Amino acid sequence: MHKTAQGIILNLAYMVDHHGFIPNGGRVYYLSRSQPPLLTPMVYEYFLSTGDLDFVEKIFPLLEKEFIWFLNNRASSYKDEETGEEKFIYFQYRAKMKFPRPESYREDLELVHGLKTEAERVRVWSNIASAAETGWDFSTRWFAQSGPGVGDMRSIRTWSIVPVDLTAFMCINMRILASFYEIFGNFKKVAHYTKMYERMKLAMKTLHWNETDGIWYDYDLEKKLHSNTYYVSNAVPLYAKCYNDEDEVTPHLVYKYLKREGVLNFTKGIPTSLAMTSIQQWDKENAWPPMVHMVIDGFRTTGDPKLMKVAENMATQWMMVNYKSYRSGYAMFEKYNVSMFGGDDECSAGSGGEYEVQKGFGWTNGVILDLLDKYGAKLTSSSPNTSSSRVILFVFIVCYLKKILY
Ligand SMILES: OC[C@H]1O[C@H](O[C@H]2O[C@H](CO)[C@@H](O)[C@H](O)[C@H]2O)[C@H](O)[C@@H](O)[C@@H]1O
């Protein structure tokens, strides 16, 4: 598996070498859109598992190159309103696109039907490409949250949003770059990235933290307000540790928030949003493996026994959802349905959006492998929501690992 992980990293690093960033997909028409900046955290995870510092040293300049691309192409300065001085920088997904997405040409052309000016059409297409850059294509998260545009894709306004998860990802990048420089003994760079990390935490607190609700939200630049709606991305700063190390209260507030929103009552995974009537896939009744994983990891790494138990319960629950769905369809899926319809034993793939749900998705496999590694021993026939026997589960794990590894 380490070899496979290294191969994936090398593929992505090749893209950074050639283009400065990782395009949204491996085709020329994706060259104006990035992926979320997760290469550096991937390399860090690889390093933690293998201790392979030689590989990290070789690849390291490309990690910094991608980071600088985000700095040059996706960052803006947040200024103090009174003094005009820069307080910190913030990042956005902001792809420019003067035409429909080539891979979804008809959809994007039909969408702008009735829009009178080229400027209006370009606005919609650029916001669509930017939403694709987030990975959350598509979600009500990027649409108007109030007024006549609610739920309507033509109201898409990705450019107006500072996404809380992107701020968190940039925080992780800065922290990891500082850590690697520390290992390499370049202390000037350690100071540079540590300073950036501290300022990014300030950005997270100022732009995203909502004192009343005890959670981080996306920030609406136009309205100068939090978009205070539940999306699972609100919990990502916990995973990113984009708050003060000594702060033991915030993780509990995040837990309370999730509880208050009712999302912990779902027995088949953490819903992406509560916009259940949306036709978009990053809403509806869907739970997405990478987001579920980030929430679990956020609680797992708090060091707080109560929250670590929360992570364990979420992990065993998610493994059972994947298992039960696998048992009925012999496939892993890109996303899963969290609806309670049919009872706890009826687990199935998610749906909605622009295409049929995909089988055997890489991130689904990656998440389940990590959870089996960390929590496999905790799975018993009395695990929450489990009615299957230990033996069947054991067979599932063995078969699944065999299929993945060989
Ligand atoms: O062709 C439609 C879209 O396909 C990709 O997006 C889809 O896969 C992503 C994961 O690989 C997923 O995050 C996204 O929600 C899916 O829609 C591609 O990234 C998009 O640019 C493209 O428009």
Side-chain angles (χ1 to χ4, degrees):
M1 207 65 211
H2 288 153
K3 197 93 201 120
T4 306
Q6 194 190 86
I8 291 170
I9 290 169
L10 284 171
N11 280 348
L12 298 174
Y14 173 91
M15 296 286 196
V16 177
D17 198 15
H18 283 72
H19 306 293
F21 67 103
I22 302 167
N24 191 170
R27 301 181 198 144
V28 284
Y29 57 74
Y30 282 122
L31 279 172
S32 61
R33 305 175 231 164
S34 173
Q35 287 278 350
L38 289 166
L39 179 62
T40 294
M42 281 169 73
V43 171
Y44 190 63
E45 288 296 324
Y46 171 83
F47 173 65
L48 291 184
S49 291
T50 61
D52 186 354
L53 195 58
D54 289 346
F55 178 72
V56 176
E57 268 192 295
K58 231 185 299 163
I59 207 130
F60 190 76
L62 296 173
L63 305 187
E64 200 164 27
K65 186 172 178 181
E66 192 204 23
F67 178 81
I68 290 168
W69 185 89
F70 266 83
L71 217 47
N72 291 338
N73 295 281
R74 295 293 183 264
S76 304
S77 173
Y78 188 87
K79 300 209 170 91
D80 186 300
E81 286 194 352
E82 278 164 25
T83 64
E85 261 175 56
E86 177 180 291
K87 283 176 89 174
F88 46 75
I89 52 169
Y90 61 91
F91 293 84
Q92 287 180 284
Y93 293 107
R94 243 174 8 206
K96 291 188 188 113
M97 194 89 160
K98 290 200 170 132
F99 38 81
R101 284 170 302 159
E103 77 279 17
S104 303
Y105 198 87
R106 182 175 50 81
E107 288 85 342
D108 290 1
L109 203 59
E110 282 173 4
L111 185 70
V112 297
H113 185 75
L115 294 184
K116 293 201 176 61
T117 67
E118 187 62 7
E120 278 177 279
R121 289 190 283 272
V122 167
R123 182 195 64 77
V124 170
W125 291 329
S126 290
N127 278 283
I128 285 179
S130 304
E133 200 171 68
T134 72
W136 286 53
D137 42 325
F138 292 99
S139 167
T140 50
R141 191 177 165 198
W142 315 119
F143 303 169
Q145 299 282 325
S146 57
V150 172
D152 179 351
M153 189 147 166
R154 276 183 303 183
S155 73
I156 192 159
R157 50 198 297 279
T158 324
W159 279 57
S160 303
I161 306 296
V162 184
V164 62
D165 41 355
L166 180 58
T167 307
F169 295 155
M170 295 317 287
C171 234
I172 305 193
N173 273 268
M174 292 163 188
R175 202 187 59 230
I176 297 175
L177 290 174
S179 303
F180 277 140
Y181 268 124
E182 190 163 5
I183 297 175
F184 302 148
N186 185 337
F187 297 106
K188 215 169 147 191
K189 287 279 196 171
V190 175
H192 172 72
Y193 281 112
T194 306
K195 192 170 161 203
M196 282 192 115
Y197 172 50
E198 291 304 325
R199 297 248 285 184
M200 213 57 212
K201 285 198 286 190
L202 175 67
M204 181 62 88
K205 198 161 188 277
T206 314
L207 287 186
H208 301 292
W209 181 251
N210 186 296
E211 203 61 53
T212 316
D213 294 353
I215 191 66
W216 302 276
Y217 287 123
D218 287 337
Y219 183 72
D220 189 320
L221 275 177
E222 248 175 84
K223 297 185 180 148
K224 299 194 174 166
L225 284 174
H226 288 140
S227 317
N228 56 354
T229 306
Y230 165 79
Y231 289 102
V232 66
S233 43
N234 295 347
V236 171
L238 195 62
Y239 154 79
K241 299 284 165 278
C242 197
Y243 57 96
N244 286 335
D245 286 345
E246 60 281 3
D247 175 359
E248 290 173 4
V249 177
T250 295
H252 286 274
L253 294 178
V254 175
Y255 172 63
K256 280 188 191 152
Y257 166 78
L258 295 177
K259 221 170 154 192
R260 221 171 39 242
E261 288 293 319
V263 293
L264 300 182
N265 298 334
F266 285 79
T267 51
K268 297 179 191 169
I270 305 153
T272 305
S273 80
L274 291 172
M276 297 298 175
T277 53
S278 164
I279 55 167
Q280 307 303 332
Q281 56 173 346
W282 287 80
D283 286 313
K284 245 179 145 266
E285 312 107 330
N286 292 334
W288 290 80
M291 303 311 294
V292 172
H293 188 248
M294 282 182 217
V295 177
I296 293 172
D297 234 43
F299 287 124
R300 182 184 68 83
T301 50
T302 53
D304 180 292
K306 182 182 162 194
L307 298 178
M308 287 166 79
K309 190 71 194 162
V310 169
E312 184 186 314
N313 290 342
M314 283 179 176
T316 48
Q317 179 194 66
W318 187 248
M319 285 190 280
M320 290 314 298
V321 168
N322 283 228
Y323 161 63
K324 286 174 186 171
S325 163
Y326 183 85
R327 197 177 49 178
S328 58
Y330 292 101
M332 303 299 277
F333 289 102
E334 173 195 34
K335 52 188 176 272
Y336 289 91
N337 185 309
V338 296
S339 151
M340 312 235 203
F341 185 74
D344 279 356
D345 275 335
E346 234 171 79
C347 296
S348 58
S351 62
E354 294 183 315
Y355 55 88
E356 283 296 307
V357 64
Q358 300 295 303
K359 281 184 181 170
F361 223 72
W363 59 32
T364 310
N365 297 340
V367 166
I368 214 71
L369 282 174
D370 187 55
L371 296 184
L372 283 173
D373 181 38
K374 296 201 167 88
Y375 295 104
K378 303 278 180 192
L379 282 170
T380 67
S381 55
S382 60
S383 287
N385 318 308
T386 304
S387 59
S388 8
S389 78
R390 208 174 171 147
V391 177
I392 299 176
L393 196 54
F394 179 72
V395 172
F396 164 69
I397 295 172
V398 172
C399 291
Y400 185 62
L401 287 178
K402 270 188 157 171
K403 207 171 160 186
I404 290 278
L405 298 177
Y406 303 106

